[in-house]
Amino acid sequence: GALFKSWTAGMSQPSPKSPIDAFAKFSPTTMVATNETWIGLVDLVVVEARGLRGMDIGGKSDPFVVVSFGPHTFRSEVRHSTLTPVWNAECRLPLHGHSTTYNVNFSVYDFDRVSDNDFIGRASMNLDELGAFKEPKVDRWLDVTYED
């Protein structure tokens, strides 16, 4: 894996991987909602992240994660003053019959009460490639990439 930048007390240093742990479970179903046919539901849990970079003074962050899947988004709760947040955030994502890709995107932000939230990094998971439609449950660590 790649090395990512980690900010500690204002100094840029390489750090080990910063992963997010997420698992997904696929449930086949046939449902029509708002003139769209769903082929199933994905129950997704964003469990935790490790080794996130600190964005606040003092080297910590107040991370939360935004999960996006097609037109659907979900936001976890904020975990204060940590680089190893545990969210156990659950969401249910509908799979539409017209979908051609099954990419779930995770964007991690540092919550700021006074200014805009700071982007920390992102990860993604393709449910089809990971076998989420074949296995009863898929549990994976995903590498977070940073962009400066």
Side-chain angles (χ1 to χ4, degrees):
L3 292 177
F4 305 109
K5 286 185 181 176
S6 174
W7 295 94
T8 307
M11 308 228 2
S12 176
Q13 302 172 346
S15 72
K17 291 180 184 177
S18 297
I20 290 179
D21 184 20
F23 66 83
K25 178 183 176 185
F26 174 70
S27 303
T29 186
T30 302
M31 181 183 308
V32 177
T34 62
N35 298 324
E36 293 186 7
T37 302
W38 295 358
I39 59 170
L41 297 169
V42 174
D43 290 313
L44 181 72
V45 178
V46 182
V47 180
E48 64 181 307
R50 295 185 187 162
L52 295 177
R53 65 181 177 178
M55 304 298 287
D56 295 336
I57 296 172
K60 297 288 184 175
S61 286
D62 303 309
F64 66 93
V65 64
V66 175
V67 177
S68 59
F69 182 73
H72 307 283
T73 59
F74 167 81
R75 179 181 161 164
S76 75
E77 293 182 357
V78 175
R79 296 295 183 240
H80 295 282
S81 298
T82 183
L83 301 179
T84 57
V86 176
W87 293 293
N88 288 315
E90 300 178 24
C91 60
R92 177 167 277 182
L93 306 170
L95 294 180
H96 299 281
H98 60 77
S99 296
T100 56
T101 60
Y102 300 102
N103 290 320
V104 179
N105 297 301
F106 305 85
S107 297
V108 184
Y109 295 90
D110 171 49
F111 174 78
D112 286 323
R113 189 174 310 278
V114 179
S115 62
D116 290 340
N117 298 322
D118 299 315
F119 175 75
I120 296 176
R122 70 173 39 100
S124 64
M125 169 169 69
N126 184 304
L127 297 175
D128 194 37
E129 288 175 9
L130 293 177
F133 304 117
K134 299 174 188 72
E135 301 175 32
K137 182 175 109 175
V138 174
D139 190 352
R140 297 288 189 270
W141 280 99
L142 308 169
D143 288 341
V144 174
T145 57
Y146 302 123
E147 299 171 3
D148 290 330

